[in-house]
Every structure is written in C-alpha cells, then in structure tokens.
Amino acid sequence: MLYEGEVRFGIEPLSTGELIGNVGLHHFFEQNRRCEIGYALASRHWGEGYATEALRAAIRHGFDALNLNRIEADIDPRNIGSARVLEKAGRIRLAAPSRPGSTGGRRGPRSPGHT
C-alpha cells in the first residue's frame, strides 16, 4: 500500500507554541490516490485564520509530497464556519450525502490541473 494510517499536523501559533488544534489526512484510497481531511481547532481561536492556514499546508503536502489526486472533507453543511474555512483553503464543491444518515458534505480540492 502506498499510504498507510494517517498524516497529522499540529496547529501551533508561533507566538506561544501552544498546541491549539490539528489537521489530519486519513482514509487513503490507493487505487484513485485520494484521501479525506479533517481538522479540529480550540474554539477560542476560531476566526483567527489558523485552521485555514493549516488546511492549506496539509492540502499542499497531500498533493506535492503524497501525489494525491483528490482530498475530500465531509462536514455538516449547517456548520457555516467550517464550510467557510474549507472554501478559503481550496476549491470546494457541495456533495451529496456520503453515507446513510449523513446530512451532506463538502468535497474538495483536486490536485492542480485536475478537472
């Protein structure tokens, strides 16, 4: 298998070095070179740009270092803040629910040049 486990990145402001969240690439699908991305950030740091910056770095790593074709995120579409972060981090399109009981999600960015 080309990809195993998950790739995790900590989110730490340079000013404090305190761990305030993380971003992870996980559920790798070797056949079509795609994975899922997830993230968490301490609520007191919402709106400060940390999640967007960390997602951009993780997405870049996925495409450049891991040679992925696609990275997907599954969120509750009612979570407007999370949807905005994903939209700022890369090209995102609305997707149909991915599993029974899901409320929908966002799919997103494809590798540069991938249509």
Side-chain angles (χ1 to χ4, degrees):
M1 173 173 237
L2 186 57
Y3 315 110
E4 291 186 25
E6 63 183 320
V7 178
R8 286 216 162 282
F9 303 90
I11 303 173
E12 302 174 5
L14 293 176
S15 59
T16 66
E18 169 193 11
L19 183 65
I20 61 170
N22 64 65
V23 176
L25 299 173
H26 53 92
H27 293 120
F28 290 94
F29 299 90
E30 184 176 11
Q31 181 178 7
N32 50 14
R33 293 189 354 251
R34 71 179 169 92
C35 76
E36 296 178 8
I37 193 168
Y39 60 98
L41 182 69
S43 60
R44 70 181 182 275
H45 294 287
W46 291 357
E48 297 176 9
Y50 294 120
T52 301
E53 183 179 343
L55 280 168
R56 284 180 181 150
I59 290 167
R60 242 185 342 267
H61 178 78
F63 292 138
D64 296 346
L66 301 179
N67 195 32
L68 295 171
N69 282 327
R70 184 178 180 94
I71 299 172
E72 300 176 351
D74 185 15
I75 65 163
D76 182 335
R78 297 171 294 188
N79 186 340
I80 302 301
S82 191
R84 285 187 186 139
V85 167
L86 287 166
E87 287 168 351
K88 286 190 259 180
R91 296 184 317 176
I92 306 295
R93 67 180 174 85
L94 190 59
S98 58
R99 56 187 167 263
S102 175
T103 56
R106 297 266 171 172
R107 302 274 182 188
R110 293 179 178 216
S111 62
H114 185 32
T115 58

